[in-house]
Amino acid sequence: MKNIGFIGFGNMAQALAIGFKASDEGCGYSTFAYAPNQSKLKDNCSRIGSVPCANLGELVSKSDTIFFACKPYQVEDVLSEIGKNLEGKQLVSVAAGWDYERFTAFLPETAKIQCIMPNTPVSVSEGVLLVAEENNWDKEERQELLDLLGTVGRVVVLPTRLMNAGMAVSGCGPAFVDMIIEALADGAVKNGIQRKQAYELVCQTLIGSAKLQLETGMHPGELKDNVCSPGGVTIKGVSVLEEEGLRSALIKAVDVCAK
């Protein structure tokens, strides 16, 4: 898996490429990319350190492992063009709505398919990478892929039927969290704190709170209770959030994204 190719080089593909480069640790991974807009592709590749390819055929010939990072509606056209050239290739799909069974209808039997769903924090090696259980990779090859993905975040293996639900949390979740960051920072600015410091306060609070839960395994409700003194200011704020429906709104957001 020394040569990694990206079909499509949008935000997610770039985030993965940046993360792989940053965590390389001398493993010698080379990344290649193809996108129809060659001018934009060359600019992005130059910035990230990837090699631009003039066409799909060039990318396939230079890559051992190929990430399908194009738009879901583009996948079928791409497969129609290069499917016959994918024999024996390791294919990793990040296209929503495309699962293992759907891919098998378009590919040679020897093509190896693994569907995943990363999120944008992979670019700073703090991502979540959902990996579908269903695949036809050799055990050793799949472990190498899982190890590679693990360099840019936390790998979570899920049954194929739960991938959409997982994506609604980890794939869509960064947007929800960004809205929370912005709102909390606005509250800080409203009360006199400079914008830059407000973001610093909010982001580190989120990082620390999340790390505390992951490392202790404590229930979030218990951690919340530990901050809420009887009659204190925190429980008053929690009461307002409950009245305004924070929990209900987040649950509904996950529901609609999981459908």
Side-chain angles (χ1 to χ4, degrees):
M1 198 188 296
K2 294 301 182 183
N3 295 326
I4 299 171
F6 292 95
I7 297 177
F9 209 52
N11 291 336
M12 184 56 67
Q14 290 178 48
L16 284 167
I18 291 168
F20 292 157
K21 290 282 185 182
S23 61
D24 194 352
E25 298 180 357
C27 293
Y29 293 116
S30 296
T31 56
F32 301 84
Y34 167 77
N37 188 330
Q38 287 284 297
S39 177
K40 186 176 180 180
L41 173 68
K42 290 176 181 178
D43 288 343
N44 289 330
C45 285
S46 177
R47 174 174 53 84
I48 293 171
S50 298
V51 180
C53 294
N55 52 63
L56 287 168
E58 180 185 354
L59 180 125
V60 171
S61 67
K62 291 182 175 179
S63 304
D64 303 311
T65 301
I66 300 171
F67 281 74
F68 277 78
C70 51
K71 300 296 184 184
Y73 71 86
Q74 297 171 323
V75 173
E76 188 169 341
D77 289 338
V78 170
L79 291 174
S80 296
E81 181 177 345
I82 62 170
K84 62 182 182 297
N85 299 321
L86 296 176
E87 291 188 5
K89 293 288 186 179
Q90 299 172 339
L91 310 178
V92 183
S93 171
V94 301
W98 280 82
D99 58 16
Y100 174 84
E101 184 176 356
R102 188 175 180 186
F103 268 104
T104 57
F106 293 88
L107 291 170
E109 290 185 4
T110 58
K112 299 174 181 180
I113 309 159
Q114 173 67 75
C115 296
I116 71 169
M117 186 53 63
N119 61 7
T120 51
V122 296
S123 64
V124 291
S125 300
E126 291 292 348
V128 175
L129 301 105
L130 305 178
V131 177
E133 285 181 349
E134 194 174 14
N135 70 92
N136 63 344
W137 286 45
D138 295 339
K139 183 178 180 181
E140 295 77 10
E141 291 173 339
R142 188 167 187 264
Q143 187 57 55
E144 185 180 4
L145 173 65
L146 295 179
D147 290 343
L148 173 65
L149 299 178
T151 65
V152 294
R154 184 177 293 258
V155 175
V156 179
V157 178
L158 289 176
T160 299
R161 62 183 177 82
L162 294 179
M163 287 291 285
N164 283 347
M167 181 189 68
V169 176
S170 60
C172 304
F176 308 155
V177 173
D178 289 336
M179 293 175 70
I180 293 171
I181 290 172
E182 185 179 27
L184 286 173
D186 282 349
V189 171
K190 182 180 179 182
N191 282 276
I193 295 177
Q194 293 295 316
R195 175 68 63 179
K196 182 178 180 180
Q197 287 183 312
Y199 286 142
E200 184 178 7
L201 285 171
V202 174
C203 289
Q204 186 57 49
T205 298
L206 287 175
I207 291 170
S209 299
K211 188 173 182 179
L212 182 62
Q213 196 287 321
L214 285 173
E215 294 193 359
T216 64
M218 294 173 65
H219 191 285
E222 184 178 358
L223 292 170
K224 179 262 297 177
D225 289 347
N226 288 343
V227 186
C228 294
S229 302
V233 294
T234 304
I235 192 62
K236 293 177 182 177
V238 167
S239 178
V240 171
L241 293 176
E242 293 286 14
E243 290 174 3
E244 297 298 323
L246 175 66
R247 293 192 209 215
S248 177
L250 290 172
I251 292 171
K252 288 178 180 178
V254 172
D255 282 347
V256 74
C257 292
K259 293 180 179 178

